[in-house]
Amino acid sequence: MSEPQAYLNGEIIPQSEARLAVSDLGIVYGAAVTEMVRTFQQRPFMLDEHLQRLESALDYACIDPPLPRSEFKQICLSLVEQNASLLSTEQDLGLTIFVTAGQNLPYLGLAALEECRTPTVCAHTFPLAFELWDQKYTSGQYLIRSEVEQLNPRVFDPRVKSRSRIHLFRADKLIRKQVPAASALLFDEQGYVAETTIGNFFLVQDRTILTPRPEYVLQGISQMMVARLAKQLGLDYVETDISEEMLLQADEALTSSSGYCLMPVTRYNDHFLSEGKPGPVYQQMIAAWSQEVGVDIVTQAQQIGAARRDQLS
């Protein structure tokens, strides 16, 4: 096998051949739900939790589950095993799964009615792009308040991970016109902190971790890990409304996401958090996460990220 494989509608094929038709509702409407899983030591992390969230999203989107969870899981495990064999042992993968609502009936007509009722299912992998975030483990992230608001839950449930994410794309684009190195932090219509474009948000105050109420944000799988580690470390974990004033007064701020796991926020707008460097709770949390998965998360990212930048220079 010389190239990664992908799963598409019942077949394992070379990834370069995995394509969607222009009539697919994932393209026409953005009618698709998705999950992104990462590996540690080339094994999927919290795969069952990701698949459970995928099932919930399918139900919300009114897309019939195309496969039982056990079959989804076996497809994922098989792909990771095959594609990891193309990597060196110290590297890890991202695994993306997505399901669309199928083909668009007005494009194809009644002759394709059954095809239009059949969801499109795809899974593929990619080497984690550590060079995109490895330096932020020590420098921290720079977040700026976005003019783009979080999804209104009366219109679309923000807890659903869908492909319809143009508001998040726009949020970062607008911020990076101002500051190319910054990322957007979204607030909801009531003025409370919601999330970044790729991850959940946390504050640390007096050994308590605060995170926005779950009904207003995507319920992250990595966020679940933060809650678990907080308990192990004897930290309180509270889901609550977070105002901008609370953010400015916090000891630390963090974000979590499947790819990078946990990241410190050292600057918000013109305000420096934890004196502009990663704080002690972040250091405890990332060390505990690394111990849990058997990989030094920061060292792995920094070594591979530096090697890739050297290759590009």
Side-chain angles (χ1 to χ4, degrees):
M1 188 178 71
S2 59
E3 73 166 281
Q5 303 294 291
Y7 174 92
L8 181 63
N9 294 334
E11 294 185 82
I12 300 293
I13 58 177
Q15 192 159 293
S16 60
E17 298 176 14
R19 301 182 179 94
L20 295 189
V22 294
S23 56
D24 195 284
L25 285 165
I27 295 171
V28 178
Y29 279 3
V33 297
T34 187
E35 287 293 324
M36 200 289 276
V37 185
R38 74 156 285 172
T39 68
F40 289 105
Q41 300 183 74
Q42 301 182 347
R43 295 191 297 270
F45 180 63
M46 298 183 76
L47 177 58
D48 288 325
E49 290 83 352
H50 279 283
L51 293 177
Q52 182 176 357
R53 188 172 67 175
L54 181 70
E55 288 177 356
S56 297
L58 286 166
D59 181 63
Y60 178 87
C62 300
I63 300 174
D64 292 333
L67 299 169
R69 189 190 303 181
S70 59
E71 192 169 339
F72 258 129
K73 184 173 182 178
Q74 190 52 51
I75 290 165
C76 293
L77 293 173
S78 177
L79 273 183
V80 166
E81 182 179 4
Q82 289 182 68
N83 295 344
S85 67
L86 300 174
L87 302 177
S88 59
T89 55
E90 69 272 10
Q91 294 181 320
D92 272 301
L93 289 166
L95 165 70
T96 294
I97 312 154
F98 67 86
V99 181
T100 85
Q103 302 298 310
N104 186 36
L105 186 61
Y107 283 8
L108 302 182
L110 283 175
L113 180 59
E114 195 57 39
E115 183 180 358
C116 293
R117 289 173 171 167
T118 304
T120 298
V121 184
C122 183
H124 64 90
T125 70
F126 55 93
L128 288 172
F130 293 113
E131 68 273 18
L132 299 181
W133 63 75
D134 63 310
Q135 296 177 330
K136 294 180 181 178
Y137 288 116
T138 50
S139 66
Q141 298 173 84
Y142 180 8
L143 300 182
I144 294 176
R145 182 168 183 161
S146 174
E147 67 183 66
V148 178
E149 285 188 351
Q150 173 69 321
L151 290 173
N152 186 323
R154 296 190 301 275
V155 178
F156 187 90
D157 191 338
R159 294 173 294 183
V160 173
K161 190 165 186 177
S162 78
R163 287 291 201 192
S164 304
R165 312 191 89 193
I166 194 69
H167 70 296
L168 299 180
F169 176 84
R170 181 170 177 264
D172 266 343
K173 282 290 185 180
L174 291 174
I175 291 299
R176 287 167 184 165
K177 284 182 180 180
Q178 306 172 47
V179 183
S183 297
L185 179 62
L186 278 70
F187 285 65
D188 64 26
E189 63 177 352
Q190 297 179 323
Y192 294 120
V193 175
E195 56 193 353
T196 71
T197 59
I198 63 169
N200 291 104
F201 185 83
F202 310 87
L203 291 185
V204 180
Q205 189 68 53
D206 299 326
R207 301 285 293 175
T208 296
I209 295 179
L210 307 175
T211 196
R213 287 194 286 157
E215 58 265 38
Y216 297 111
V217 296
L218 179 67
Q219 295 178 346
I221 306 304
S222 296
Q223 184 185 38
M224 297 164 84
M225 184 65 172
V226 172
R228 184 196 306 172
L229 293 176
K231 183 176 181 180
Q232 290 179 14
L233 294 170
L235 303 170
D236 291 326
Y237 184 87
V238 178
E239 296 169 339
T240 188
D241 292 325
I242 296 175
S243 67
E244 187 171 52
E245 183 179 2
M246 291 167 67
L247 194 168
L248 295 173
Q249 294 176 353
D251 296 332
E252 299 177 48
L254 315 169
T255 66
S256 67
S257 190
S258 290
Y260 62 69
C261 301
L262 191 68
M263 194 77 69
V265 179
T266 51
R267 184 175 179 183
Y268 168 70
N269 290 348
D270 294 327
H271 178 79
F272 288 93
L273 293 155
S274 60
E275 300 180 340
K277 60 182 185 295
V281 170
Y282 162 73
Q283 302 287 7
Q284 282 186 285
M285 295 283 289
I286 197 69
W289 200 319
S290 295
Q291 184 175 11
E292 182 89 6
V293 298
V295 173
D296 187 320
I297 294 168
V298 175
T299 298
Q300 178 194 41
Q302 291 179 339
Q303 288 179 346
I304 296 175
R308 288 180 183 164
R309 276 190 296 275
D310 287 344
Q311 291 172 359
L312 295 171
S313 61

